[in-house]
Amino acid sequence: MLFRSWAQTADAHWPDVARVRDHVGVAHLVVTRHALVREVLTDPATYRPDNALDAVTPIPVAALRVLAGHRFRLPPTLANNGGASHPAIRAIVADALHPTRVAAQRPWLTDLVRERVGGIAATLDAGGSVDLYARLAADLPLLVLARLVELPDAPVGAVKAFARAALELFWAPLDADRQQALAAEVGRFHRVLREFAATGGGLAGSLRAAGHPPDVVVGALFFLLVAGQETTSQFLTLLLHRLTGEPAVLAGLRDGTVPVADVVEEGLRLEPPIVTWRRVAAVDTTLGGTAVPAGTSIVLWLARAGRDPATVDAPDEFRPGQRGSRRHLAFGAGAHRCVGDQLARMEAAVVVTETAPLLDGVSVLRPPWCPDNLTFRMPDAFVVRRR
């Protein structure tokens, strides 16, 4: 269940809090109810974020040596930082992703998406098939993020490979050989980030100017490249795939009766790219009537919380604008709520607006496939053609 939880979100048999052991025998408390998930996320004193980036498959010595050879470190910076430094680091990152700065990117992004959709439409009109992940969704969030925070000039393919390798290394069930290969890829790119963090402008320069040490600058860039763009490209792929099976929603988008913003929120509720997140109990406590000893690993089932019938009218139906649709926890909640939520929403709104007319006439040749992972969906190729 833990590593394909998106496939079980509609299963009605889960209790509010369940004890589950993972593939290496570690026990977790899986929290399924919206109110309880939110309770944990908004109480960082009782439930700390320290384990958010811990590898779910313990990294063996050989792979650790590879990482050490690249001087790889992930100090508490953003998602895994429950200390006093978190608010200041978060404020600098949030300023880089301020809604005003995000909105300024919309015209440029709209032009780029329209250009791509035009090329996709031409291929489809000629009878060809198109991978919408590769041709549209894969690199868009990275290109926007690079403009906002002045990321280093690196080949898009290399950044995407690094991000997906990191998501696999830290959140997937793996064997030792695969861990060592992933450690080499992640370590190599970490070296590139370290060099940029020492001299780069934009966000890196702002963090340095505020007195944050090099490891913190690298950690912030690392997390942004993993969570700040890869999750959005995943969401775009998942949402576009979902919309191919929602003709009434596409018709509503076409005639203006269904707002794009409502479609994006309902997509975040039903098809979140981040399906779980972790916390660790700092003290002995009780959650939903279940005793939680200090040190317990807690898995917050965000995707299932979005389908809680206590929160939303039609939990398993794609109904943009329905009661509770916007109460999803796709971006988390509390002090560690995603700082890039407005950026992801803007990107999704542009892509849905420009792509909806094209989706209305396609059939799916190959739906996205997602590998086993505790937290991230990581869809791959999504191939369509004209009906």
Side-chain angles (χ1 to χ4, degrees), residues 132-174:
L132 291 180
Y133 170 75
R135 290 276 296 269
L136 182 61
D139 65 340
L140 279 178
L142 175 58
L143 297 176
V144 180
L145 187 67
R147 290 167 63 93
L148 284 169
V149 302
E150 298 181 30
L151 289 173
D153 291 331
V156 168
V159 177
K160 297 297 291 185
F162 149 73
R164 292 178 75 90
L167 295 184
E168 188 179 351
L169 178 62
F170 291 102
W171 285 278
L174 301 167

Side-chain angles (χ1 to χ4, degrees), residues 298-316:
I298 300 170
V299 175
L300 304 171
W301 198 349
L302 306 178
R304 188 172 174 87
R307 297 178 185 236
D308 190 334
T311 303
V312 65
D313 285 339
D316 300 319

Side-chain angles (χ1 to χ4, degrees), residues 184-277:
E185 186 160 3
V186 169
R188 281 193 298 269
F189 199 85
H190 189 269
R191 186 187 296 270
V192 173
L193 285 182
R194 195 166 61 249
E195 293 169 357
F196 172 75
T199 59
L203 176 61
S206 297
L207 288 166
R208 288 199 312 274
H212 293 291
D215 278 350
V216 167
V217 182
V218 175
L221 292 172
F222 181 95
F223 189 72
L224 278 177
L225 284 173
V226 171
Q229 59 86 22
E230 183 61 31
T231 54
T232 306
S233 68
Q234 292 174 26
F235 174 56
L236 295 177
T237 306
L238 295 166
L239 179 56
L240 293 178
H241 176 241
R242 180 72 187 229
L243 287 175
T244 60
E246 301 288 346
V249 175
L250 290 174
L253 285 167
R254 186 171 58 247
D255 63 25
T257 59
V258 175
V260 171
D262 287 350
V263 172
V264 172
E265 296 304 321
E266 190 72 337
L268 287 164
R269 183 183 73 82
L270 281 171
E271 301 290 349
I274 299 177
V275 288
T276 70
W277 203 245

Side-chain angles (χ1 to χ4, degrees), residues 34-243:
H34 184 281
L36 294 178
V37 171
R38 185 174 179 81
E39 177 183 334
V40 173
L41 288 171
T42 55
D43 184 359
T46 305
Y47 307 102
R48 292 183 58 82
D50 304 14
N51 64 340
L53 306 187
D54 289 354
V56 298
T57 304
I59 299 178
V61 171
L64 288 174
R65 285 176 178 151
V66 172
L67 292 172
H70 291 285
R71 294 167 51 198
F72 178 89
R73 291 186 69 242
L74 273 183
T77 304
L78 290 168
N80 63 338
N81 189 354
S85 65
H86 177 254
I89 299 170
R90 178 183 171 88
I92 293 171
V93 176
D95 185 64
L97 303 179
H98 190 278
T100 302
R101 300 192 72 222
V102 167
Q105 300 301 318
R106 188 168 190 139
W108 169 84
L109 179 63
T110 299
D111 288 344
L112 177 59
V113 174
R114 283 179 180 169
E115 178 183 349
R116 291 189 176 188
V117 169
I120 290 168
T123 300
L124 294 173
D125 290 343
S129 60
V130 174
D131 179 354
L132 291 180
Y133 170 75
R135 290 276 296 269
L136 182 61
D139 65 340
L140 279 178
L142 175 58
L143 297 176
V144 180
L145 187 67
R147 290 167 63 93
L148 284 169
V149 302
E150 298 181 30
L151 289 173
D153 291 331
V156 168
V159 177
K160 297 297 291 185
F162 149 73
R164 292 178 75 90
L167 295 184
E168 188 179 351
L169 178 62
F170 291 102
W171 285 278
L174 301 167
D175 61 37
D177 289 343
R178 182 61 179 162
Q179 286 173 298
Q180 190 161 344
L182 291 168
E185 186 160 3
V186 169
R188 281 193 298 269
F189 199 85
H190 189 269
R191 186 187 296 270
V192 173
L193 285 182
R194 195 166 61 249
E195 293 169 357
F196 172 75
T199 59
L203 176 61
S206 297
L207 288 166
R208 288 199 312 274
H212 293 291
D215 278 350
V216 167
V217 182
V218 175
L221 292 172
F222 181 95
F223 189 72
L224 278 177
L225 284 173
V226 171
Q229 59 86 22
E230 183 61 31
T231 54
T232 306
S233 68
Q234 292 174 26
F235 174 56
L236 295 177
T237 306
L238 295 166
L239 179 56
L240 293 178
H241 176 241
R242 180 72 187 229
L243 287 175

Side-chain angles (χ1 to χ4, degrees), residues 1 7-20 30 32-33 301 304 307 309 316:
M1 165 266 155
Q8 301 182 51
T9 49
D11 186 340
H13 303 299
W14 280 90
D16 294 356
V17 180
R19 296 187 186 277
V20 176
V30 177
T32 69
R33 300 291 290 190
W301 198 349
R304 188 172 174 87
R307 297 178 185 236
D316 300 319

